[in-house]
Amino acid sequence: MSQGARDAQDCARAATSLLRAAADRGVTLSVAESLTGGQVSSSLVEVPGASRVLVGTVVAYATRIKAQVLGVDAAHLERTGPVDREVALQMARGVRRLLGADLGLATTGVAGPGPADGHPPGTVHIAVVGPWGEMHRELRLAGDRAQVRRATVKEMFELAIGFLRKEDHGTQP
């Protein structure tokens, strides 16, 4: 089995686990994607029954869409560019608010092949925002463009699962 096929299986398992965890808690999800370009939501909808949990998604690939649609602070985007911790958090807050979901998930970063905005390929920020807190992770991923995007999707699911587990224990992330 190729590495790509193994990655796809790992991603499918993580998507299933996230949807099951969210459904068990009666929590809905919304997704704001940049570098993943719809792969997070596509991976989720591959799982039968995803519609019980997934409300919708916004692919905000262009920086201006992050501000115009998701409400990311334009001045902040001007200062930092889109590859930034606060941008990921604001995207997650924005999609949660826009789509009326319990949780907002967001991805932003550089898939490659070359650097963007002074960041090397594989620099990624992911975030989850919900009623009990927020989580962010900065990633430094290796591989080509496709590998970085696949790894981002899997990491996004794992972060969201961890976020739901923190809620189980009544702790603030």
Side-chain angles (χ1 to χ4, degrees), residues 83 109-123 143-145 148:
V83 184
V110 183
D117 298 318
H119 300 281
T123 304
D144 64 20
R145 181 176 177 81
V148 167

Side-chain angles (χ1 to χ4, degrees), residues 35 83 108-125 138-149 151-152:
L35 83 147
V83 184
T108 187
V110 183
D117 298 318
H119 300 281
T123 304
V124 175
H125 292 268
E138 181 174 357
L139 309 170
R140 303 285 181 190
L141 301 170
D144 64 20
R145 181 176 177 81
Q147 290 168 321
V148 167
R149 293 176 71 223
T152 298

Side-chain angles (χ1 to χ4, degrees), residues 57-73:
T57 186
V58 173
V59 177
Y61 204 64
T63 300
R64 69 180 175 80
I65 301 305
K66 291 170 181 66
Q68 291 171 356
V69 175
L70 296 173
V72 176
D73 182 88

Side-chain angles (χ1 to χ4, degrees), residues 31-85:
V31 184
E33 301 188 60
S34 186
L35 83 147
T36 49
Q39 276 185 271
V40 172
S41 56
S42 178
S43 295
L44 290 170
V45 301
E46 287 291 325
V47 179
S51 61
R52 291 179 311 193
V53 172
L54 182 63
V55 173
T57 186
V58 173
V59 177
Y61 204 64
T63 300
R64 69 180 175 80
I65 301 305
K66 291 170 181 66
Q68 291 171 356
V69 175
L70 296 173
V72 176
D73 182 88
H76 185 86
L77 280 166
E78 184 68 29
R79 279 191 312 277
T80 66
V83 184
D84 177 75
R85 174 188 193 277

Side-chain angles (χ1 to χ4, degrees), residues 21-22 24-27 102-103 130-133 135 159-173:
D24 288 349
R25 290 158 186 79
V27 173
D102 297 310
L103 299 186
W132 59 89
M135 288 180 87
L159 182 66
I161 291 165
F163 185 79
L164 287 169
R165 285 190 182 130
K166 287 203 179 277
E167 191 269 343
D168 280 346
H169 300 305
T171 58
Q172 292 292 318

